[in-house]
Amino acid sequence: MRIIVQKFGGTSVSTPAVRECLVRHVASALADGWRVVVVVSAMGREGDEYSTDTLLKQARMAGTPTPRDLDLIASCGEVIAAVVVASALRAQGIPAVPLTGGQAGIVTDGRYSRATVLKVDVVRLKDLLEQGHVAVVCGFQGVSATGEVTTLGRGGSDTTAAALGAALGADVVDIFTDVDGVMTADPRLVPGARPLPVATYHEMFQMAQHGAKVIHPAAVEISMRGNVPLRVRATAGKGEGTLITNEAASSSLRPEVRPERAITGVTHLTGIAQVRVRPSQQQSGVDLALFTSLADAGVSVDLINVSPDLKSFTVKAEELPTAVQVLQGLSVNVSTQPKCAKVSVVGVGMRGVPGVMANVVSALHSAGVEILQTADSHLSISCLIHADDTVRAVRALHEQFGLDADR
């Protein structure tokens, strides 16, 4: 049984017109001999009648809902979407059955608003597929071992699709969205950004972690473990989009690796603050106390540079006041830079290739962008910059590494 999982985001199910595109994609897959599982997000975005944010706002306006209450109402948006999509499919003669995450066999650890998928029991799904039905599954949700409805956090429908794909042994998971694929940079910042024909799991995970919002990093990680190819495609288009797969499968489509072509994409994150801590000469064990105290306060740190005289790291802008309060209790000298952004270059081709960092520094220097801090891995180089320099930095890096559409 050849199985394909097709995930449609909120903008891909929000209106009758886009739902017609969804129906065409499902009908095309069926005509090609696939058994189809459809995963849907809630209809629309904030402000739309049945979006998750709208439903949560309704609950909060009425009083003080518990975390359990919030997960229960947050799951309703996907239920509405699944029923509407199943009805649209049946109206075109396609047998379809809507299922909640729990009915589809998704079992989670029970943490409200940020649950982790523990297992997927696909017996019911396989029975439906063998009977010729399209299973329309609510994304973003599951049930705990005790039967409580839980949600998977932002981007959770991607995670649902990947988890179902891995559990079913699907041939491919399609992530339908409102762009033509994974872009070399945010097209709102870089007019010359172009869709990538292929990316490796590791590259896509890094890009998602560093700011590319087209797919959730957890979905990439799950697909990588199950070796299930992902495709990011436009709902309204006919193109193949971006194939995300292992390095061996993608190698034939990749350009020759050289310094100016070592990078696959440029990403950015805003809403970041830098913290710099200087301990007094008399202090010992300050590193342990510093990072333990921040962890106990629920503050996540990134871009960490530690030396005997200076500890530099970043936090989310909204967590800066908490971080400063914690550090002041340690009697250390604290300075902050609240309005920062992180720009990153990502590419499997940079491994072992000299000159990549030199190109990064050259591009940012030529654009007049000050580098506040850096971090790197085998697949990425990240630079902390002033937030006001974000657009110039992303455009400069995109051009420096030859990623423009006309090259």
Side-chain angles (χ1 to χ4, degrees), residues 230-304:
L230 291 164
R231 289 187 302 196
V232 178
R233 307 172 62 187
T235 307
K238 297 181 180 179
E240 290 299 311
T242 301
L243 175 66
I244 303 165
T245 185
N246 57 54
E247 289 189 34
S250 67
S251 60
S252 63
L253 298 175
R254 306 190 66 80
E256 179 186 356
V257 175
R258 53 188 191 274
E260 70 274 19
R261 286 292 190 183
I263 301 306
T264 299
V266 180
T267 63
H268 70 284
L269 277 173
T270 55
I272 296 172
Q274 184 190 41
V275 180
R276 296 163 65 89
V277 178
R278 294 185 183 276
S280 65
Q281 292 183 349
Q282 291 76 25
Q283 288 178 295
S284 61
V286 67
D287 296 347
L288 177 60
L290 187 159
F291 292 112
T292 300
S293 298
L294 289 170
D296 291 343
V299 176
S300 178
V301 298
D302 190 20
L303 282 180
I304 305 162

Side-chain angles (χ1 to χ4, degrees), residues 99-371:
L99 300 168
T100 66
Q103 290 171 333
I106 297 172
V107 180
T108 72
D109 61 4
R111 290 182 298 172
Y112 294 118
S113 80
R114 54 189 180 92
T116 298
V117 177
L118 297 180
K119 65 178 181 178
V120 183
D121 183 349
V122 295
V123 172
R124 186 174 185 181
L125 280 177
K126 284 187 173 180
D127 285 344
L128 288 171
L129 295 178
E130 287 173 353
Q131 294 167 22
H133 294 285
V134 172
V136 183
V137 180
C138 298
F140 178 62
Q141 61 178 253
V143 294
S144 69
T146 58
E148 294 292 336
V149 174
T150 55
T151 62
L152 308 180
R154 293 298 181 185
S157 292
D158 291 348
T159 305
T160 299
L164 291 176
L168 287 164
D171 292 77
V172 66
V173 174
D174 279 345
I175 305 294
F176 286 98
T177 182
D178 50 6
V179 294
D180 292 330
V182 180
M183 308 294 283
T184 51
D186 188 334
R188 294 169 298 181
L189 273 58
V190 182
R194 57 183 175 82
L196 295 165
V198 64
T200 69
Y201 293 123
H202 290 99
E203 286 175 318
M204 194 64 245
F205 182 80
Q206 289 290 327
M207 291 180 71
Q209 286 280 63
H210 290 304
K213 295 180 174 60
V214 70
I215 190 170
H216 196 279
V220 181
E221 188 175 25
I222 292 169
S223 295
M224 179 168 57
R225 289 202 304 264
N227 199 28
V228 177
L230 291 164
R231 289 187 302 196
V232 178
R233 307 172 62 187
T235 307
K238 297 181 180 179
E240 290 299 311
T242 301
L243 175 66
I244 303 165
T245 185
N246 57 54
E247 289 189 34
S250 67
S251 60
S252 63
L253 298 175
R254 306 190 66 80
E256 179 186 356
V257 175
R258 53 188 191 274
E260 70 274 19
R261 286 292 190 183
I263 301 306
T264 299
V266 180
T267 63
H268 70 284
L269 277 173
T270 55
I272 296 172
Q274 184 190 41
V275 180
R276 296 163 65 89
V277 178
R278 294 185 183 276
S280 65
Q281 292 183 349
Q282 291 76 25
Q283 288 178 295
S284 61
V286 67
D287 296 347
L288 177 60
L290 187 159
F291 292 112
T292 300
S293 298
L294 289 170
D296 291 343
V299 176
S300 178
V301 298
D302 190 20
L303 282 180
I304 305 162
N305 296 142
V306 175
S307 68
D309 299 326
L310 178 65
K311 330 294 176 183
S312 300
F313 53 89
T314 61
V315 299
K316 294 178 181 178
E318 63 266 25
E319 294 181 347
L320 181 59
T322 302
V324 171
Q325 183 178 16
V326 169
L327 296 173
Q328 286 175 339
L330 299 177
S331 300
V332 293
N333 298 315
V334 181
S335 60
T336 64
Q337 178 66 49
K339 295 181 179 180
C340 295
K342 180 173 73 171
V343 293
S344 304
V345 294
V346 177
V348 69
M350 73 166 64
R351 287 187 297 205
V353 177
V356 178
M357 186 62 183
N359 273 294
V360 169
V361 174
S362 174
L364 296 182
H365 177 75
S366 298
V369 175
E370 181 183 10
I371 299 174

Side-chain angles (χ1 to χ4, degrees), residues 53-76:
D53 288 323
T54 299
L55 295 171
L56 290 171
K57 184 178 180 180
Q58 289 291 327
R60 292 182 174 119
M61 287 173 60
T64 308
T66 66
R68 179 181 182 275
D69 297 338
L70 292 174
D71 265 20
L72 197 58
I73 196 169
S75 69
C76 292

Side-chain angles (χ1 to χ4, degrees), residues 12-16 19-20 22-23 40-41 43 50 76-91 96-98 136 138:
S12 299
V13 299
S14 58
T15 68
R19 288 196 292 273
E20 287 180 9
L22 180 157
V23 171
V40 294
S41 298
M43 296 163 61
Y50 299 117
C76 292
E78 279 71 21
V79 174
I80 294 167
V83 171
V84 170
V85 167
S87 297
L89 290 168
R90 289 196 293 261
V97 177
V136 183
C138 298

